[in-house]
Amino acid sequence: MENLDVSRTLTELADLLEIQGASPFRIRAYRNAVNTINSLSRSLQAMLGAGEDLTELPAVGDSVAKYIAELIETGRISRLEEVSAEYPRSLVQLMRLDGVGPKKAKKLFLDLKVRTVDDLEVELRAGRVQGLDGFGVRSADKILRAIADHRKHAGRFQIHEVEKLIAGVLEHVHAAPGVGRVKIAGSLRRRKETIGDVDIIAEFDGDGTAVVDHFVAYSGAERISGAGSTKGSMVLHSGLQVDLRVIPPRSFGAALQYFSGSKEHNVAMRTHAVRQGLRVNEWGVFRVPDGADPASLGKEDGERLAGDAEEGVYAALGMAWVPPVLRENRGEVEVAIRGEPPELVSLEDIRGDLQMHSTWSDGKASIEEMARACIARGYEYFALTDHSQAMAMVGGLTPERAREQWLEIAEVQARLPEILILRSVEVDILKDGSLDLPDDVLAELDVVVVSVHSLMDQDRRTMTDRVIRAMRHPSVDILAHPTGRLINRREPFELDVEAMLEAAAELSVAVELNANPNRLDLNDLHVHRAKELGVPVVISTDAHSPRGLADMRFGVDQARRGWLSPADVLNTRSLAEMKMWLGRRG
Ligand code: DGT
Ligand code: CA
Ligand code: CA
Ligand code: ZN
């Protein structure tokens, strides 16, 4: 069992207890334990196996430690089953809908016997929810929209979750006797923000039955959905499906290419092959014999031109190798045929991070801790962007506190000359597009980052005008998480991204690609458009702890999917160049 399975189950328990109305302290304790588990680098199962005492972990008390042990040993938590006898587990999905929450989920269950999202939709459409205390027509509409979003996302996992769930599987596949190369294919290799299922290919010479049997014997499998001599599929405890294909060495590269997709990329490749009298499939690239009807050929008929290595597959078709992040049929096939693959930004190009929080607002680490973590990552500069006063519940900075913070920044800066700390604030864009700090404070910041955190349900026109008005303020440098989406949880708000980007180009404002894997906002298509319009993109982590700084790679992957080169990304610039950009308005 993976740590993520444990933390998901504990979260479910905490959610159900919250619906039941248990002590907020107990619920808080479980959620804190979940945070600890999520940041653990070692496997809980291995720690228990080695006889370690889990209560030595931060925020893990006796009862949580017992639950973890029970879950890992038996696959269940009896306390969770007790609570779910009273409040069904399906209510957790309900309470996670935007506009519902634990109290309303409880009320819906007690008053209308709503147990599932489907039940809720029926009741909403029948107009029976609208009359309940605490629900109005407006909130009913909002919940209906949330249900539609929920359906759209159901079953897809976020990339950072998948990485955690799959690490053990890969190790397991590598350990299968006689297996050679093992590679991840599919959407995970293309670094998509969400993953439907994981595709793995393993090289093996001969009948693959034993390899497949080994694969599906994985301890983390909840059930096996298929096992044969070339292919196996299993579903992990989390619900994530993993497919394995066993491939002979001569076809390994072709299979890697085929199963990496996307389907649309493959279709375009195949069309290009046919034009040249060639055939490409998961077995290799073959020359179609003169006069042969391609439809009647066996899978490996014709002269084999490539197959063992992926580079060879592209080369045989007269194409440059295409980085997997580009394989979405968005022009990459044509570019590869011309032999001009675009230069893509990489993690090593990043020289600073322009959004992060400290304990001055909702961050968990001090300014100095964040600065040292940035130094450890080799950065030349970073911007400290605590929230502004409108975010009162997280201690957003008033003008007075901003000035106090500058004193601490100066102290830390004096101790750490190896990095430049840029004074900044993530300033709220208020209802009408005005900014949440007075002009004199904004003028004294090195970087002004602005973003929307309130009234996210404004109509398109109002929201677009609001954001563009904020960008017109002469102090503004960066628009952060421009669409406000939370992947699988909250849709982007109504914003005309095209109009926003045109304004950014005109006003010389940069746009953020927020690297937090829950956001990835702007997305790949948006940053591609920013590049076309000449708008600089900043890849920022929005870290709330030193660990959050490591999310940079997710942002870089999304930027690569948007074809960004180092020159398109603002924070690849050296300190001197960055200072020049910040002083661009004279
Ligand atoms: P996912 O799993 O929904 O996140 O997306 P993928 O891209 O991983 O899709 P998946 O798992 O259904 O299939 C893996 C790859 O196999 C896919 O990217 C391309 C290839 N593939 C699957 N079905 C077809 C097909 O009908 N035609 C072609 N040309 N390729 C296919
Ligand atoms: Ca897949
Ligand atoms: Ca698949
Ligand atoms: Zn924010």
Side-chain angles (χ1 to χ4, degrees), residues 267-323:
V267 169
M269 290 257 298
R270 217 156 41 215
T271 309
H272 173 64
V274 168
R275 279 199 209 104
Q276 302 173 86
L278 303 175
R279 208 156 55 98
V280 57
N281 58 26
E282 61 267 51
W283 300 92
V285 180
F286 305 92
R287 193 176 303 285
V288 179
D290 279 345
D293 169 11
S296 66
L297 291 172
K299 56 190 184 176
E300 293 188 84
D301 282 351
E303 183 194 348
R304 169 188 293 275
L305 302 180
D308 66 330
E310 190 179 68
E311 289 77 7
V313 171
Y314 284 95
L317 299 178
M319 297 169 67
W321 179 79
V322 179

Side-chain angles (χ1 to χ4, degrees), residues 120-154:
L120 177 55
E121 186 172 21
V122 170
E123 296 299 312
L124 281 164
R125 298 227 181 269
R128 282 190 287 267
V129 175
Q130 287 80 337
L132 289 183
D133 254 8
F135 293 84
V137 174
R138 231 174 101 88
S139 72
D141 286 348
K142 184 174 178 186
I143 296 170
L144 275 173
R145 275 199 305 278
I147 291 175
D149 295 347
H150 166 82
R151 294 250 163 77
K152 208 156 54 189
H153 302 308

Side-chain angles (χ1 to χ4, degrees), residues 11-261:
T11 300
E12 202 179 351
L13 177 58
D15 287 351
L16 269 190
L17 287 170
E18 203 171 348
I19 292 170
Q20 188 189 46
S23 142
F25 297 103
R26 172 125 33 102
I27 295 162
R28 190 74 253 147
Y30 294 167
R31 298 205 194 281
N32 288 339
V34 165
N35 285 338
T36 298
I37 295 169
N38 286 340
S39 62
L40 215 57
S41 54
R42 301 169 56 217
S43 145
L44 287 164
Q45 184 161 357
M47 291 172 76
L48 281 176
E52 288 180 46
D53 178 3
L54 298 183
T55 61
E56 281 171 18
L57 293 169
V60 175
D62 285 335
S63 61
V64 172
K66 254 188 248 137
Y67 292 150
I68 296 174
E70 185 188 358
L71 180 61
I72 288 177
E73 278 157 28
T74 69
R76 48 192 278 278
I77 299 178
S78 41
R79 177 83 183 112
L80 177 57
E81 294 186 355
E82 272 166 43
V83 185
S84 62
E86 193 184 352
Y87 293 97
R89 285 171 84 151
S90 53
L91 290 177
V92 168
Q93 293 299 333
L94 212 65
M95 89 164 236
R96 289 181 190 163
L97 291 173
D98 204 16
V100 181
K103 288 208 180 69
K104 286 185 176 171
K106 180 177 190 173
K107 190 164 183 60
L108 288 164
F109 174 64
L110 294 179
D111 291 10
L112 296 175
K113 301 207 165 38
V114 166
R115 301 169 144 253
T116 63
V117 175
D118 288 346
D119 293 350
L120 177 55
E121 186 172 21
V122 170
E123 296 299 312
L124 281 164
R125 298 227 181 269
R128 282 190 287 267
V129 175
Q130 287 80 337
L132 289 183
D133 254 8
F135 293 84
V137 174
R138 231 174 101 88
S139 72
D141 286 348
K142 184 174 178 186
I143 296 170
L144 275 173
R145 275 199 305 278
I147 291 175
D149 295 347
H150 166 82
R151 294 250 163 77
K152 208 156 54 189
H153 302 308
R156 291 193 73 83
F157 286 71
Q158 291 178 249
I159 188 167
H160 65 299
E161 300 177 319
V162 171
E163 284 187 344
K164 287 183 193 154
L165 292 168
I166 208 69
V169 179
L170 280 174
E171 214 174 286
H172 178 72
V173 173
H174 273 290
V179 156
R181 289 173 282 178
V182 174
K183 290 273 191 193
I184 287 175
S187 51
L188 182 56
R189 183 165 183 236
R190 303 198 311 280
R191 307 300 293 165
K192 272 190 70 165
E193 63 202 28
T194 63
I195 308 293
D197 65 18
V198 175
D199 304 279
I200 302 176
I201 65 171
E203 180 184 31
F204 184 79
D205 211 352
D207 182 284
T209 307
V211 177
V212 171
D213 287 348
H214 174 92
F215 171 68
V216 296
Y218 181 58
S219 63
E222 176 85 25
R223 66 192 156 83
I224 298 165
S225 43
S229 63
T230 59
K231 186 178 173 222
S233 289
M234 62 184 173
V235 177
L236 306 180
H237 297 309
S238 52
L240 178 65
Q241 176 168 324
V242 189
D243 296 341
L244 176 79
R245 275 128 185 144
V246 183
I247 310 290
R250 67 177 184 285
S251 294
F252 189 79
L256 177 59
Q257 195 289 318
Y258 181 87
F259 291 112
S260 292

